[in-house]
Amino acid sequence: MPKLEDYKGEAPAWCPGCGNFPILKVFKDVVVELGIEPHQFTIVSGIGQAGKFPHYLKCNTFNGLHGRTLPVATGIRLANHEMPVIAVAGDGDCYGEGGNHLLHAMRRNINVKLFVHDNQIYGLTKGQASPTSMATDKGGMATKNQPFGVLSEQLNPMALAVALDCSFVARGFAGDTNHLKELIKEAVRHKGFSLVDIFQPCVVFNKINTYEWYRQRVYKIEPEYNPEDRINAFKKALEWGDRIPIGVIYRNNRPTFEERIPVIKGNPLIRQSYNPSKIETTLKEFY
């Protein structure tokens, strides 16, 4: 069985008080409790404070380009769908630069677990508005790049995911680690694409959406709530303001992308025989 010390990576360079710290601690607890060894899974990340996440762990890692986390994660799953793949991204990285990739990952239902560190700001690049920043006329902030305030409407990733029939849609809060741990466990166990949006306060650049701001608003979804009721899930996803739900908002069970591709359904690509002569024959057609 793995132990917490098995996952010790580089010393984190996040700001003291950053919401990324509890997410890192929770994730380590989850993989230990699920009995997953460091060599048994891969984490893919992009650019940003959240993109540093796998460097502070010990595991297989691919740190790629800004917004391009999901294409790499998809490629790894298609090459070896026996390997669990985790994708980590920030709200800017995933919902901004990587927004198009997110849409198609949800459509395909590739069996990747995506954890978005959502601090409603670009932290690494010093505080410009992200897609999830609240518009100034609805309680949001002015930033260095938006001195007149945030004029664009705030993106709602939960409503977007439900609208696209994403296989697993959930939201957590870095300030409630017990709840977040169970949420991440459920996402890892789910068969299909899992999106977990995690409120992760930025203590330097976002002075509005603080730990206290979230604590005054977030509430755990009621036990009797049915996450498989898509219409009701969409209503739940639209809740924002004085009350913001955390927990599993929507869940469905449908075939994964890997299961629907005949050539890899029964046997991972990495375990299939390789005959270079077939490639040579194909290349000769272009001579």
Side-chain angles (χ1 to χ4, degrees), residues 1-8 28-29 31-33 35-38 58:
M1 287 291 293
K3 302 179 289 297
L4 279 175
E5 51 264 34
D6 295 335
Y7 290 92
K8 186 177 181 181
K28 288 180 179 180
D29 289 340
V31 288
V32 168
E33 291 178 19
I36 304 173
E37 300 281 353
K58 184 179 180 182

Side-chain angles (χ1 to χ4, degrees), residues 138-152:
K138 296 181 180 178
M141 71 194 86
T143 75
K144 293 178 181 179
N145 279 20
Q146 292 84 20
F148 303 110
V150 178
L151 307 179
S152 300

Side-chain angles (χ1 to χ4, degrees), residues 229-282:
D229 181 340
R230 191 177 179 192
I231 300 300
N232 201 37
F234 191 73
K235 293 178 181 177
K236 183 69 71 175
L238 291 176
E239 290 186 26
W240 183 271
D242 293 336
R243 282 171 57 79
I244 304 172
I246 57 174
V248 179
I249 292 175
Y250 181 61
R251 180 179 63 233
N252 67 55
N253 295 295
R254 56 190 175 96
T256 64
F257 192 53
E258 301 91 313
E259 292 175 321
R260 300 176 69 182
I261 301 177
V263 295
I264 64 170
K265 182 178 180 180
N267 195 23
L269 191 62
I270 62 162
R271 301 197 186 284
Q272 297 184 25
S273 59
Y274 168 63
N275 185 351
S277 64
K278 292 183 178 181
I279 298 177
E280 293 173 2
T281 301
T282 301

Side-chain angles (χ1 to χ4, degrees), residues 168-183:
F168 184 94
V169 183
R171 173 172 270 155
F173 171 42
D176 189 338
T177 53
N178 290 331
H179 180 263
L180 180 60
K181 181 167 72 171
E182 295 308 311
L183 206 58

